[in-house]
């Protein structure tokens, strides 16, 4: 019996010591148990992210969500989480910037190999500060250091108070005796606690951009990324949503909208950890991009942009729109110009006289700009198709014997402006540029060349290539000072990634984008007010990293209006309408009115043969340009409310409301032609003021037809938002635009 008592006693002691060690371990690594707390509250108007350094100086995220009225109460949050039998043995699942090696058991935000070959990293809190940039913007910096190595990371949190928007990035530096190899280098490492997580991501390809997919995140890691080098948006855009507890709707639910501000390879890790918390790590993709960092050199990551709302996707998207117009998109609070493009009228087959007539058509149509697209350059290898000439930016003497300057003057005679297409980053093998500078081309010297749209990518990590790109714009603007619009295209992805300039090939993907931004910065510094369209074989490059240099972006080469309704609807969550380039073309089987009404959802343009329009079609287009200009301020600068989703209903409906709630415009489109499809019930409007009265009037009516709606009907805002209004969309009225004005 004594033996059994002794064994039982020893077993009890072992259990007690084990439990004691677990308690000690948790108390020394988990912020909720620490005696000494350093809290860092980073707050917008309505939301907060709260960081805490524990007694071991490890920095964790203890809260992300709605802002508390009393900031002192944030420190009580960790102790409120009680999970039976769940223990974070590492103590850093909730890390604000998770290092690889050492005690980490989950996906890292940063991974390095030190100069001495050590692969572990321990980042500890040192200090933080907050600087007020202006009445709305502040910047919080947090310094982390490794206690064993002269290696540090500074985390940056830029807060846009009233927009409820944050940008987050990191700067990595060291003073070791030799280079440190960076294997992963995220911009942001966020941490969330909820019962469930729902991801709305996007995928696609050329002419199929922004196809949504919504799924519940389950334990493990979901990775969103691009490895294309350029055109990062082609298969997988860097923008997404995460809903908490249940999928958010337009007006209800907790949701985060996020986007990586980078025009190259990006990566987003969404990891549901063993404790059912969500870890979100976002930034540049580390694929084939190990970076050798010299002592005292700084490695700055791109920003990760996000906004959070407890009132659904609609409010979150309006937050981003306000931020983008105020702080990011070039001239985001200004105006835009309508245009006529020649591409679908002529493709490569044009000459000076044909273009002169098209310039006159632009005047006849009533638009502001005539845009000359691809095919105007190359002499030794004329650009008569997409197989030759790219890179040789001299006017084709056969097509344009008097040069671009003649066309600029023709446009000025007709009281329209002149714009031009360029694709400066690319080269055809059949070009003088390729023959003279094969070392400027990204290509493996010992492999067959793989072409994408018959072209290759120039090596923008090379300063000489950067200078060449800037010279393209200088030549155009110096010779043609009246040039008033640029369409910047980018059609190829990077195959056989190899640089004759780079000493370390793993730097190419990153330094390419850095070189691209240097070019854009230089061009913008010289020509700060010229409107520029960001195009990439359609919507292959749509991100806020590039959009700071552009006034707008090309949504897709797919201009079928039915398809565009769906694409434009999804893009509208992340980018305001003032940045959407929408053109009326001959794609699709819908009538001209439908095509035009859809294009009016953003920045209106035309890509049609004006001379072939019949009398009524021409009259309609001319009046549509006038109508568009009467409501464009609401479209460009108003608050967007999505009323009926095209994916869930027979018709799509959305409206833009100006800031003082005195005027709105409502777009309605039939997306299902089945029998009886249409607006059988009134649509509840949003964003109006309940105690105001509003007139509702249909505009953009095709000549010879009449509206079926009562002319200038007047309702209270309360009625329109509670009961609604039926736009009478059906197979005979496939698109309806309503102008809504306050009646005083």
């Amino acid at each position: 019996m004594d033996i059994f008592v002794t064994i039982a006693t020893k077993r009890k002691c072992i259990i007690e010591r084990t439990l004691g060690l677990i308690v000690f371990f948790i108390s020394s690594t988990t912020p909720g148990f620490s005696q000494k707390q350093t809290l860092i509250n980073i707050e917008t108007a309505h939301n907060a992210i709260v960081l805490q350094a524990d007694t071991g100086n490890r920095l964790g995220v203890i809260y992300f969500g709605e802002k508390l009225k009393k900031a002192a109460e944030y420190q009580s949050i960790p102790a409120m989480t009680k999970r039976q039998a769940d223990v974070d043995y590492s103590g850093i699942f909730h890390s604000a910037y998770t290092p690889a090696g050492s005690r980490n058991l989950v996906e890292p935000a940063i991974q390095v190999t030190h100069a001495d070959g050590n692969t572990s990293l321990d980042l500890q809190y040192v200090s933080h500060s907050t600087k007020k940039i202006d009445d709305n913007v502040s910047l919080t910096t947090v310094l982390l250091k490794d206690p064993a190595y002269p290696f540090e990371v500074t985390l940056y949190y830029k807060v846009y108070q009233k927009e409820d928007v944050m940008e987050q990035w990191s700067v990595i530096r060291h003073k070791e005796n030799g280079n440190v190899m960076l294997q992963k280098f995220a911009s942001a490492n966020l941490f969330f606690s909820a019962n469930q997580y729902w991801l709305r991501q996007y995928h696609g390809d050329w002419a199929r951009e922004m196809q949504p997919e919504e799924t519940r995140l389950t334990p493990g890691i979901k990775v969103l990324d691009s490895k294309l080098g350029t055109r990062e948006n082609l298969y997988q855009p860097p923008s997404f949503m995460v809903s908490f507890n249940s999928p958010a709707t337009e007006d209800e639910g907790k949701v985060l909208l996020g986007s990586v501000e980078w025009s190259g390879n990006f990566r987003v890790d969404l990891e549901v950890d063993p404790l059912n918390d969500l870890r979100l790590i976002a930034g540049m993709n580390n694929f084939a991009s190990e970076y050798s960092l010299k002592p005292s050199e700084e490695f700055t990551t791109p920003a990760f942009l996000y906004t959070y709302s407890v009132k659904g996707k609609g409010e979150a998207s309006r937050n981003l729109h306000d931020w983008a117009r105020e702080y990011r998109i070039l001239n985001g609070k200004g105006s835009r110009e309508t245009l006529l493009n020649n591409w679908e009228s002529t493709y490569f087959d044009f000459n000076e006289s044909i273009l002169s007539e098209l310039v006159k058509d632009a005047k006849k149509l009533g638009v502001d700009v005539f845009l000359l697209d691809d095919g105007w350059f190359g002499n030794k290898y004329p650009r008569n198709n997409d197989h030759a000439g790219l890179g040789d930016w001299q006017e084709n003497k056969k097509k344009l014997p008097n040069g671009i300057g003649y066309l600029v003057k023709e446009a000025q005679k007709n009281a329209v402006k002149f714009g031009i297409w360029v694709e400066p980053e690319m080269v055809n093998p059949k070009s003088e540029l390729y023959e003279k500078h094969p070392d400027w081309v990204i290509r493996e010297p010992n492999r067959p060349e793989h072409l994408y749209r018959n072209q290759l990518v120039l090596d923008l990590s090379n300063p000489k290539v950067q200078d060449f790109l800037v010279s393209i714009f200088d030549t155009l603007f110096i010779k043609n000072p009246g040039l008033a619009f640029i369409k910047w295209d980018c059609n190829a992805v990077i195959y056989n990634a190899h640089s004759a300039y780079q000493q370390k090939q793993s730097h190419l993907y990153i330094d390419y984008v850095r070189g691209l931004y240097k070019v854009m910065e230089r061009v913008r510094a010289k020509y700060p007010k010229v409107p520029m369209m960001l195009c990439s074989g359609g919507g292959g490059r749509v991100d806020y990293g590039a959009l700071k240099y552009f006034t707008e972006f090309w949504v897709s080469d797919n201009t079928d209006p039915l398809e565009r309704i769906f694409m434009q609807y999804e893009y509208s969550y992340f980018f305001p309408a003032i940045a959407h380039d929408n053109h009326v073309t001959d794609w699709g089987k819908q009538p001209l009115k439908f095509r035009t009404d859809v294009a009016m959802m953003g920045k209106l343009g035309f890509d049609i043969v004006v001379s072939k329009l019949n009398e009524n079609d021409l009259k309609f287009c001319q009046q549509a340009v006038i109508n568009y200009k009467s409501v464009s301020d609401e479209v460009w600068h108003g608050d967007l409310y999505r009323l009926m989703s095209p994916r869930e209903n027979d018709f799509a409906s959305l409206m833009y409301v100006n800031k003082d709630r005195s005027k709105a415009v409502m777009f309605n489109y039939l997306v299902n032609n089945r029998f009886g499809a249409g607006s059988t019930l009134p649509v509840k409007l949003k964003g109006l003021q309940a105690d105001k009265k509003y007139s509702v009037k249909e505009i953009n009516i095709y000549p010879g037809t009449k509206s079926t709606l009562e002319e200038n009907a007047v309702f209270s805002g309360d009625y329109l938002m509670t009961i609604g209004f039926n736009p009478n969309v059906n197979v005979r009225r496939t698109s309806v635009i309503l102008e809504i004005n306050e009646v005083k």
Side-chain angles (χ1 to χ4, degrees):
M1 291 292 294
D2 290 341
I3 294 174
F4 291 114
V5 171
T6 301
I7 292 173
T9 303
K10 287 183 178 180
R11 183 176 296 168
K12 180 181 177 183
C13 291
I14 291 170
I15 292 171
E16 287 175 345
R17 277 189 299 180
T18 303
L19 289 172
L21 285 170
I22 290 174
V23 171
F24 171 78
F25 178 74
I26 294 172
S27 67
S28 64
T29 59
T30 305
F33 290 87
S34 62
Q35 298 301 311
K36 177 186 176 184
Q37 297 177 338
T38 300
L39 287 180
I40 306 171
N41 306 332
I42 304 169
E43 298 178 326
T44 66
H46 301 99
N47 305 316
I49 178 171
V50 183
L51 314 178
Q52 179 183 287
D54 64 14
T55 52
N57 288 322
R58 291 182 180 84
L59 188 70
V61 180
I62 63 165
Y63 180 71
F64 186 104
E66 289 182 87
K67 182 169 71 174
L68 297 181
K69 292 180 179 179
K70 294 182 179 180
E73 292 188 318
Y74 288 124
Q75 64 184 341
S76 302
I77 293 173
M80 292 293 163
T81 301
K82 306 288 185 183
R83 291 192 179 94
Q84 300 250 336
D86 285 341
V87 177
D88 172 7
Y89 299 104
S90 70
I92 61 170
F93 279 11
H94 67 299
S95 175
Y97 200 70
T98 312
S102 187
R103 65 199 301 154
N104 183 38
L105 300 174
V106 288
E107 184 65 26
I110 182 170
Q111 182 177 2
V112 308
T113 299
H114 294 283
D116 65 0
N118 191 306
T119 58
S120 67
L121 185 63
D122 186 12
L123 293 175
Q124 297 187 8
Y125 167 81
V126 176
S127 62
H128 73 277
S129 64
T130 299
K131 178 177 68 174
K132 201 168 180 61
I133 296 174
D134 57 35
D135 289 341
N136 188 54
V137 183
S138 62
L139 182 65
T140 296
T141 60
V142 185
L143 178 61
L144 308 175
K145 287 186 178 181
D146 189 312
Y149 287 86
F151 185 98
E152 64 184 46
V153 177
T154 303
L155 307 181
Y156 289 83
Y157 300 81
K158 194 171 187 179
V159 172
Y160 301 86
Q161 186 80 8
K162 67 180 180 182
E163 292 84 7
D164 282 323
V165 166
M166 287 194 193
E167 287 183 293
Q168 196 172 329
W169 70 93
S170 59
V171 174
I172 304 166
R173 63 180 73 83
H174 72 92
K175 291 185 179 180
E176 298 186 22
N177 295 322
N179 291 4
V180 171
M181 303 304 294
L182 306 182
Q183 279 102 18
K184 193 170 184 183
F185 24 79
S187 300
N189 187 166
L190 298 177
F191 180 84
F192 312 94
S193 290
N195 294 323
Q196 291 182 344
Y197 311 94
W198 292 81
L199 171 68
R200 187 177 183 87
Q201 66 181 99
Y202 297 89
H203 61 92
D205 202 339
W206 180 82
R208 295 192 297 109
E209 290 87 349
M210 292 300 282
Q211 305 297 311
E213 196 77 35
E214 189 157 30
T215 55
R216 187 169 74 87
L217 290 170
T218 56
I221 301 178
K222 173 78 172 182
V223 178
L224 312 178
D225 76 339
S226 172
K227 302 181 180 73
L228 304 179
T230 62
R231 299 191 67 185
E232 87 291 346
N233 213 45
L234 183 61
Y235 297 149
Q236 181 86 64
S239 302
F240 61 94
M241 305 181 199
V242 176
S243 300
F244 303 93
N245 298 321
S246 61
T249 66
E250 282 296 316
D251 303 307
E252 296 180 340
K254 299 178 179 180
V255 63
L256 177 136
L257 271 61
S259 190
V260 181
E261 297 180 27
W262 185 243
S263 304
N265 295 343
F266 67 87
R267 174 170 171 163
V268 179
D269 301 308
L270 299 120
E271 179 177 20
V272 178
D273 70 19
L275 304 186
N276 197 48
D277 295 317
L278 175 63
R279 308 175 65 255
L280 192 161
I281 298 171
M284 291 186 284
N285 199 338
N286 57 328
F287 165 75
S289 295
E290 182 179 66
Y291 207 91
S292 179
L293 189 65
K294 300 173 184 176
S296 299
E297 179 185 2
E298 289 192 347
F299 185 95
T300 302
T301 69
F304 175 61
L305 169 73
Y306 55 94
T307 187
Y308 175 76
S309 171
V310 297
K311 296 180 181 178
K313 298 182 290 186
E315 181 182 78
S317 69
R318 289 187 289 275
N319 291 345
L320 276 186
H321 295 174
D322 286 343
W323 171 84
R325 287 188 294 251
E326 181 71 35
Y327 296 103
R328 187 47 47 88
I329 295 171
L330 198 67
N331 195 27
K333 300 187 78 173
S335 61
R336 296 293 185 267
E337 295 172 318
T338 55
L339 61 79
L340 174 66
N341 192 10
N342 75 299
W343 178 244
E344 294 193 16
S345 303
T346 65
Y347 295 99
F348 295 100
D349 187 16
F350 58 78
N351 56 36
E352 196 172 81
S353 60
I354 291 173
L355 294 178
S356 295
E357 290 303 311
L358 291 177
V359 168
K360 294 175 184 176
D361 286 343
K363 176 180 174 60
K364 185 190 299 182
L365 198 58
V367 297
D368 305 303
V369 178
F370 173 76
L371 173 62
L372 173 58
D373 215 292
D374 195 357
W376 58 268
F377 50 89
N379 287 296
K380 181 179 179 181
Y381 302 105
R383 182 73 166 173
N384 295 324
N385 52 54
D386 65 5
H387 291 259
L390 199 58
D392 300 341
W393 300 101
Q394 315 89 25
E395 296 102 324
N396 180 278
K397 293 176 182 177
K398 185 176 180 180
K399 291 182 180 179
L400 307 176
N402 295 299
I404 298 296
Y406 172 82
L407 295 172
V408 173
K409 290 175 183 176
E410 284 294 295
Q412 291 170 343
K413 284 181 187 177
N414 287 277
V416 296
K417 298 178 182 179
F418 187 87
I420 201 164
W421 176 97
V422 292
E423 190 177 3
E425 300 163 65
M426 309 299 166
V427 63
N428 287 126
K430 195 174 182 180
S431 68
E432 292 184 83
L433 180 66
Y434 183 92
E435 290 174 349
K436 292 177 182 177
H437 298 286
D439 57 317
W440 284 9
V441 180
I442 295 176
R443 54 197 283 272
E444 284 281 3
N446 300 316
R447 301 288 183 188
E449 287 183 342
H450 289 288
L451 306 183
Y452 194 103
R453 203 192 172 197
N454 305 303
Q455 62 195 51
L456 296 164
V457 182
L458 293 174
D459 182 5
L460 290 190
S461 71
N462 185 337
K464 290 182 180 179
V465 180
Q466 296 170 26
D467 291 342
F468 170 73
L469 262 66
V470 175
S471 75
I472 296 170
F473 294 93
D474 284 343
T475 301
L476 282 169
F477 281 108
I478 291 169
K479 289 176 64 177
N480 312 289
L483 201 59
F485 189 89
I486 296 290
K487 179 181 178 182
W488 183 320
D489 212 340
C490 166
N491 281 291
V493 300
I494 294 178
Y495 288 130
N496 284 338
H498 178 88
S499 164
Y501 171 78
Q502 290 282 351
Q503 292 183 338
K504 288 192 172 293
Q505 295 304 315
S506 61
H507 289 202
L508 176 58
Y509 282 127
I510 294 172
D511 286 351
Y512 176 90
V513 182
R514 289 175 172 174
L516 172 66
Y517 290 161
K518 286 178 182 177
V519 171
M520 291 176 173
E521 286 169 8
R522 291 169 63 184
V523 171
R524 268 302 167 205
K526 290 185 174 185
Y527 315 104
K529 296 183 179 180
V530 177
M532 290 173 56
M533 179 200 299
L534 179 62
C535 181
S536 186
R541 179 188 278 166
V542 184
D543 62 86
Y544 280 116
L547 271 173
K548 69 175 72 173
Y549 308 107
F550 292 82
T551 50
E552 57 220 66
F553 67 88
W554 184 232
V555 171
S556 175
D557 280 348
N558 185 343
T559 53
D560 181 310
L562 187 60
E563 296 290 339
R564 274 299 192 106
I565 290 170
F566 291 82
M567 290 181 189
Q568 291 165 196
Y569 199 91
E570 298 299 337
Y571 267 123
S572 75
Y573 283 109
F574 303 96
F575 305 97
I578 194 171
H580 296 208
D581 269 318
N582 305 334
H583 289 185
V584 181
T585 74
D586 290 330
W587 279 50
K589 299 179 180 179
Q590 293 78 14
L592 180 63
K593 171 176 163 52
F594 188 93
R595 288 180 270 142
T596 306
D597 288 354
V598 171
M600 287 173 67
M601 285 170 65
K603 183 205 155 183
L604 176 65
F606 292 85
D607 207 330
I608 56 177
V609 184
V610 177
S611 61
K612 292 185 178 180
L613 295 176
N614 64 40
E615 182 181 353
N616 278 342
D617 280 354
L618 177 59
K619 190 182 298 184
F620 170 77
C621 288
Q622 291 169 332
Q623 186 59 46
V625 172
I626 295 170
N627 290 337
Y628 177 73
K629 291 181 178 180
S630 73
V631 297
S632 59
D633 191 60
E634 284 67 45
V635 174
W636 297 339
H637 307 121
D639 289 332
L640 170 60
Y641 294 88
R642 298 171 204 82
L643 310 177
M644 303 290 286
S645 168
R647 298 185 184 279
E648 300 169 6
N649 303 281
D650 290 337
F651 68 104
S653 183
L654 64 158
M655 63 186 290
Y656 301 90
V657 186
N658 67 6
K659 293 296 184 180
D660 67 6
R661 308 307 185 207
S662 64
K663 186 175 179 179
V665 56
M666 179 182 178
F667 296 93
N668 306 275
Y669 309 106
L670 187 71
V671 296
N672 184 352
N673 283 320
R674 296 191 67 185
F675 178 76
S679 56
T680 56
L681 297 172
V683 179
K684 293 181 181 180
L685 278 59
K686 300 175 185 178
L688 303 176
Q689 193 165 314
D691 58 358
K692 288 184 176 182
K693 290 186 177 181
Y694 296 92
S695 65
V696 181
K697 173 186 175 183
E698 183 174 356
I699 63 171
N700 239 36
I701 301 171
Y702 190 82
T705 65
K706 292 183 179 181
S707 174
T708 61
L709 306 176
E710 180 184 349
E711 190 171 349
N712 289 318
V714 176
F715 304 90
S716 69
D718 178 52
Y719 179 91
L720 291 172
M721 293 189 292
T722 304
I723 304 301
F725 186 89
N726 195 326
N728 194 19
V729 175
N730 54 53
V731 292
R732 291 174 298 279
R733 287 168 49 83
T734 55
S735 62
V736 177
I737 301 179
L738 303 178
E739 184 179 336
I740 301 159
N741 287 286
E742 180 184 357
V743 177
K744 296 186 179 180

